[in-house]
Amino acid sequence: MIGLNLLNQIVNDQKVNTPAKVLTLLDEKIYSSLNKNSQTEHSSDGMDISLCAINLSDNTMQFSGANRPILIFRNGELIEYKPNKFPIGGLYTNEKEFTDTDIQLQENDTIYFFTDGFIDQFGGKKGKKLKYSAFKEILKEVSDFKLEKQHQLINDKFEFWKGDLEQLDDVCVMGVKI
């Protein structure tokens, strides 16, 4: 909730619209919020996020991520954009420098944002984590369908994988079709 409120403040009130700058400000504000009442111990709590700004007039996108990549499927090919390898918040605020990646989008690209909840879910015959490579294969399998159908298929695959095991974390997969 703190992150969402601060994101809204940064984007809507401060009018910051460059993803790396948004993440830098969010990182500073999260760190301050979680540590403002502590003189000696600092909170190691942090969050992972991928953030983008899309300009539909020229199909360009800026992406920045804190431990969360994005995936783009283009004509059946997977393109992965790596994040910065540190979270929002946590212990090392002064040493972080978030960067923007400029991406030229094409018609029919599908951009995927996701939490780690799907990837880290235990399930299957052996009760193991699904893992990132299997998650990418699932997205590849469904990427040619309309987004509504993808939603259904991804949800069905998650429930099948999870089986009777308890869901461990939040699970969010968001697809944006250009």
Side-chain angles (χ1 to χ4, degrees):
M1 292 305 294
I2 293 170
L4 179 60
N5 289 334
L6 291 173
L7 265 175
N8 283 326
Q9 178 188 7
I10 293 165
V11 174
N12 296 328
D13 299 342
Q14 294 179 250
K15 306 294 185 207
V16 178
N17 59 11
T18 305
K21 183 66 175 167
V22 171
L23 293 184
T24 298
L25 291 171
L26 181 61
D27 182 57
E28 292 168 1
K29 290 174 183 287
I30 290 280
Y31 183 82
S32 294
S33 293
L34 294 177
N35 294 297
K36 68 181 174 187
N37 295 323
S38 175
Q39 297 293 342
T40 55
E41 288 191 33
H42 293 285
S43 173
S44 62
D45 288 339
M47 69 177 189
D48 300 340
I49 184 173
S50 52
L51 191 64
C52 74
I54 299 174
N55 183 339
L56 293 175
S57 66
D58 63 0
N59 277 350
T60 57
M61 178 173 75
Q62 280 188 318
F63 158 73
S64 189
N67 279 338
R68 298 285 355 122
I70 60 167
L71 300 173
I72 297 178
F73 276 92
R74 176 178 295 152
N75 300 323
E77 178 188 346
L78 169 69
I79 306 166
E80 181 177 6
Y81 291 92
K82 303 272 186 190
N84 296 110
K85 289 293 188 184
F86 35 78
I88 297 295
L91 296 176
Y92 305 107
T93 296
N94 294 335
E95 299 172 15
K96 298 176 192 172
E97 185 176 334
F98 291 97
T99 56
D100 283 317
T101 301
D102 295 318
I103 302 166
Q104 181 64 55
L105 299 172
Q106 296 180 11
E107 188 175 340
N108 293 317
D109 280 355
T110 305
I111 308 159
Y112 293 98
F113 303 85
F114 46 92
T115 63
D116 59 358
F118 199 125
I119 296 160
D120 290 344
Q121 179 63 46
F122 290 100
K125 293 177 184 174
K126 298 181 180 181
K128 303 277 186 181
K129 286 186 178 183
L130 180 80
K131 301 213 176 175
Y132 190 47
S133 58
F135 176 71
K136 290 191 290 188
E137 283 301 314
I138 289 170
L139 291 182
K140 187 173 186 173
E141 288 174 24
V142 304
S143 65
D144 287 335
F145 293 100
K146 292 184 184 264
L147 289 179
E148 297 81 17
K149 181 69 172 175
Q150 288 185 39
H151 174 263
Q152 176 193 346
L153 292 170
I154 290 169
N155 188 58
D156 290 348
K157 288 178 181 290
F158 178 78
E159 290 298 325
F160 181 77
W161 174 259
K162 181 174 71 81
D164 293 332
L165 296 177
E166 181 180 343
Q167 183 173 324
L168 299 175
D169 201 354
D170 62 90
V171 175
C172 181
V173 179
M174 183 175 83
V176 176
K177 184 92 164 176
I178 301 299

